[in-house]
Amino acid sequence: MKNNTITRLLVYVGKSKKTLFFVFATVLVGNISLLLAPRYIGDAVDLLADGGEGWQNAFVSLLVLIAGLYIVGSFLQWLSARAGKLVAFRTTNTIVRDAFAKLGRLPLSFFDTHKHGDVIHTLTNDADMVAEGLSQGIIQFISGILSIVISLVMMLLLDVRVTLVAVFVTPLCFFVGWAITRYGSKRFRAQAGTLGDLNGFAEEYISSFHTVKLFSYELSAIENFGRINAELYQSGYRAQFASALVNPTTRFVNNIAYVLVGVFSILSVLDGNLTAGGITAFLAYTSQFSKPFNEITAITTQIQNATASARRIFALLDEQEQQPEPADAVVLKNPQGSVEFRDVSFSYSREKPLIRHFSFSASPGATVAIVGPTGAGKTTLVNLLMRFYELDGGAIYVDGKEITTLTRDSLRRSFGMVLQETWLFDGTVAENIAYGRPDASMEEIAEAAKAAYAHSFIKRLPEGYQTMIEDGGANLSAGQKQLLTIARAMLTDTPMLILDEATSNVDILTEIRIQKAFRSIMEGKTTFIIAHRLSTIRDADVILVMDKGDVVEAGTHEELLQKEGIYKTLVRKSMENPSEM
C-alpha cells in the first residue's frame, strides 16, 4: 500500500515535466558549482603551504573563482528550491482538485457513513502535509542523488582508497535512518487517522453547539474530546519519538565515517598520494557525500506525514462511486410528471430490509402525501425518486422512462425540493434564492420571495437581497431560512415538487400564507408532500400511510378516516395535539 501511494504521488508529480526538468538542470549546474569549490580550496591550501614566487596573485584568483562558484551555486539552489515548491504545490493542487471532484461522484451513503469533519480534514490538513512533504522531498531527492554522484567522482579523482572508506561507511547512516523510519511509519499513519477523528469530533461539536448546550452535554463532550486528544498525544508521541531518533543516530554514524576518512587521508599523505590541500578537499567532499543521507533522514517526519496524508487522500479517491450513467442515457425533456414505483425494494443495510416490493403510481399533477411514524421510510421514497440511492430491486419510472436510463442532472432538475433541513450557502440572499437558477433576474427572484412570504423580512435586512448570509444562515432565524429555501423552490418552477416537512420551522400564520402560495405553485405539478401536520396533507389526491417500509394504507383523507387504521390513529392524536399530525 505504501509503495502504491508513493507510485501514485510520482505519477502526479510527473505531470509537471517541464518544471521538473528545470529543477534538474538548475540543481545539476548548482551542485557542480558548489562541488568544484572544494577542489580549488584544496589548491589554495597547497598554494599557501608551498608558497613560491607570485603565489599571491594565483591565490587571489583562486579566491575569486571560489567565491564565484559559491555565488552561482547558491543562486541556482535558491532557484531550484523555488521551482521545486512550485511542482509540489501544483501537484497538491491537482490531487485536491481531483479529490473535490470525486466528492461530487460519491453516493449519499458515503456522506452518511463518514464524518464531515474528517472529510474536510482530508481536503485541507492532509493536503497541506502532502505539499510540505513534496516541497522538501523533491529538491532533497534530486539534489541528493546528484550531490552523491558528483562528490563520488571528485573523491575518486583524488584518492580511490580513501573514497572506498567513505563509500562503505557513510551509507550506514542511511540504512540506520531507514530502519528507524520504517519503525515510525505505522505511528505516523495512526497519528494522521486520529487527527482526522479529532477534527471530525470538533466540527460536529461546534456545528451542533446549541444542542450541546440544550442537553448540558459540555462535560461529556470535553471527556470525549479529551479521550481522542489523549489518543492523538500517544500516537503523536510515538511518531515523534521515532523521528527524533533519526537525526542523532545518523550524525553519530557520520562522525565515525568522518574520523575514519581523516585517518586514512593522513595515511594517504604519508604515502604521497594526497597533499594537505587534498585532505581539505577530501574532507569537504566526504561531508557533501554524506550530506544527502543526513538531509533525507532529517526530513523523515515531513515525508512520513506526507505519505500518511497522501494515503488518506488516495483512499478517498478510491471510494466506490455512484453507479455511472449509461453511455446512452437520455435527457428528460418537457417532463409531464407521471411517476411510477414498480416492485421497488431497498435497504440501507442488507441485514435490515426497509422497503419491500413497493408499487405505486401518480398521474401528472397529482398531489401525493406520505405519512407515517418516524423511520417508516417516507424520506427514503423521495431519495430513491431523486436517485440519491440505487435500488436493490424493481424500477422507478418518470413519464414512462426508467430513471436509470435518464441523466441524473435532467432528472433532478425536474424536481423542486424543500426539506426540513435548510441548506444555505456563502453568498447573498439573492444568490441563495437563485441557487437552482443562477441566470434569474432580480425581478424573478423578488417575485419568488414574495410568493414565499420572504420578501418583507428580506427588505428589513441591512442590505436587502444583497445581504451576505453568514455561516450557513447564522444571521437568520430558522423560519427565515426555511422561507428562503421555499423561495428557491418556487423560482425553479419545476413540473414536480417534493415538500419534506417544508413548513415545520414557521409559525402558524406564516404557514397558512405559505400553504396558499403552495397551492398556487402546485397547480398542474406532481407533488410529493411529507408532513406531520394534518393541514398540509388533508387535501392531497392520495395519502400513502407507511410503516416499516411498507405502504399499509392508501386513499383520500375521507376514505382513510373510514378505516380503523394507522391514519385514523394519527388524526386522532393530531386533534389531541393540534400542532402535530
Side-chain angles (χ1 to χ4, degrees), residues 26-199:
T26 52
V27 168
L28 177 63
V29 177
N31 276 5
I32 290 175
S33 299
L34 293 173
L35 291 172
L36 279 175
R39 182 62 182 262
Y40 292 111
I41 291 174
D43 292 344
V45 171
D46 287 337
L47 195 61
L48 280 173
D50 297 338
E53 185 177 353
W55 71 271
Q56 294 90 343
N57 292 333
F59 184 75
V60 171
S61 298
L62 284 174
L63 290 181
V64 172
L65 177 59
I66 292 167
L69 289 172
Y70 276 123
I71 290 172
V72 171
S74 299
F75 173 75
L76 290 176
Q77 273 191 336
W78 171 81
L79 202 59
S80 62
R82 295 266 299 184
K85 287 184 180 295
L86 178 63
V87 172
F89 288 107
R90 186 183 294 163
T91 299
T92 306
N93 180 61
T94 303
I95 294 174
V96 172
R97 188 174 65 242
D98 289 351
F100 190 81
K102 174 78 175 188
L103 294 180
R105 301 191 299 272
L106 292 175
L108 268 182
S109 57
F110 171 84
F111 299 96
D112 292 339
T113 55
H114 290 74
K115 291 182 179 179
H116 296 174
D118 196 22
V119 176
I120 294 170
H121 172 79
T122 300
L123 293 176
T124 54
N125 296 49
D126 284 332
D128 287 342
M129 287 293 184
V130 172
E132 182 66 24
L134 285 178
S135 65
Q136 295 283 342
I138 289 173
I139 295 300
Q140 298 297 351
F141 181 74
I142 297 176
S143 177
I145 291 177
L146 292 176
S147 182
I148 290 170
V149 172
I150 297 171
S151 298
L152 183 62
V153 171
M154 299 302 290
M155 286 192 295
L156 287 171
L157 292 175
L158 288 170
D159 191 293
V160 175
R161 186 177 59 178
V162 182
T163 300
L164 291 176
V165 174
V167 167
F168 282 109
V169 176
T170 301
L172 283 176
C173 70
F174 177 78
F175 293 108
V176 171
W178 174 79
I180 298 173
T181 299
R182 188 175 181 182
Y183 165 79
S185 61
K186 292 182 179 179
R187 279 74 188 171
F188 278 98
R189 285 201 298 272
Q191 181 185 17
T194 309
L195 184 58
D197 291 340
L198 188 70
N199 283 334

Side-chain angles (χ1 to χ4, degrees), residues 476-540:
L476 300 173
S477 70
Q480 289 172 335
K481 289 189 287 186
Q482 198 151 47
L483 290 177
L484 291 184
T485 62
I486 293 170
R488 181 191 297 164
M490 288 183 168
L491 181 63
T492 55
D493 194 25
T494 55
M496 290 173 280
L497 285 174
I498 295 172
L499 309 175
D500 188 350
E501 298 288 357
T503 59
S504 61
N505 289 327
V506 298
D507 58 79
I508 299 297
L509 180 60
T510 305
E511 181 185 0
I512 293 171
R513 292 173 178 172
I514 292 175
Q515 291 300 335
K516 292 179 181 178
F518 274 152
R519 290 190 188 96
S520 174
I521 196 174
M522 287 163 53
E523 189 173 344
K525 293 178 171 54
T526 307
T527 306
F528 292 86
I529 303 174
I530 300 174
H532 289 151
R533 293 179 180 174
L534 178 62
S535 58
T536 59
I537 62 173
R538 65 186 309 159
D539 295 328

Side-chain angles (χ1 to χ4, degrees), residues 323 340-348 350 353-360 380-381 384-385 389-397 402-404 549:
Q323 183 177 316
E340 181 183 3
F341 287 76
R342 189 180 298 174
D343 196 32
V344 168
S345 296
F346 172 78
S347 62
Y348 292 104
R350 295 288 183 183
L354 179 59
I355 296 175
R356 292 159 293 191
H357 308 293
F358 171 71
S359 297
F360 168 77
T380 300
L381 279 185
L384 296 177
L385 180 58
Y389 296 93
E390 300 298 334
L391 303 177
D392 295 335
I396 299 175
Y397 297 84
E402 189 175 355
I403 60 174
T404 55

Side-chain angles (χ1 to χ4, degrees), residues 354-491:
L354 179 59
I355 296 175
R356 292 159 293 191
H357 308 293
F358 171 71
S359 297
F360 168 77
S361 61
S363 57
T367 299
V368 180
I370 308 172
V371 300
T374 300
K378 303 185 295 297
T379 301
T380 300
L381 279 185
V382 170
N383 287 335
L384 296 177
L385 180 58
M386 298 283 285
R387 208 182 169 195
F388 290 147
Y389 296 93
E390 300 298 334
L391 303 177
D392 295 335
I396 299 175
Y397 297 84
V398 173
D399 287 358
K401 301 180 181 68
E402 189 175 355
I403 60 174
T404 55
T405 66
L406 304 173
T407 62
R408 286 188 176 91
D409 181 67
S410 65
L411 172 67
R412 292 168 183 169
R413 285 185 180 277
S414 301
F415 289 89
M417 202 167 187
V418 182
L419 306 177
Q420 182 177 12
E421 281 191 78
T422 54
W423 295 107
L424 300 178
F425 306 89
D426 288 344
T428 65
V429 170
E431 289 170 342
N432 267 272
I433 294 175
Y435 193 77
R437 272 190 59 197
D439 59 338
S441 66
M442 275 305 304
E443 290 75 16
E444 291 173 315
I445 293 171
E447 285 301 316
K450 290 175 182 176
Y453 294 91
H455 180 74
S456 58
F457 91 78
I458 293 174
K459 296 302 289 183
R460 293 194 301 270
L461 294 175
E463 297 179 47
Y465 285 87
Q466 300 309 313
T467 300
M468 293 295 296
I469 291 178
E470 301 173 2
D471 193 20
N475 55 336
L476 300 173
S477 70
Q480 289 172 335
K481 289 189 287 186
Q482 198 151 47
L483 290 177
L484 291 184
T485 62
I486 293 170
R488 181 191 297 164
M490 288 183 168
L491 181 63

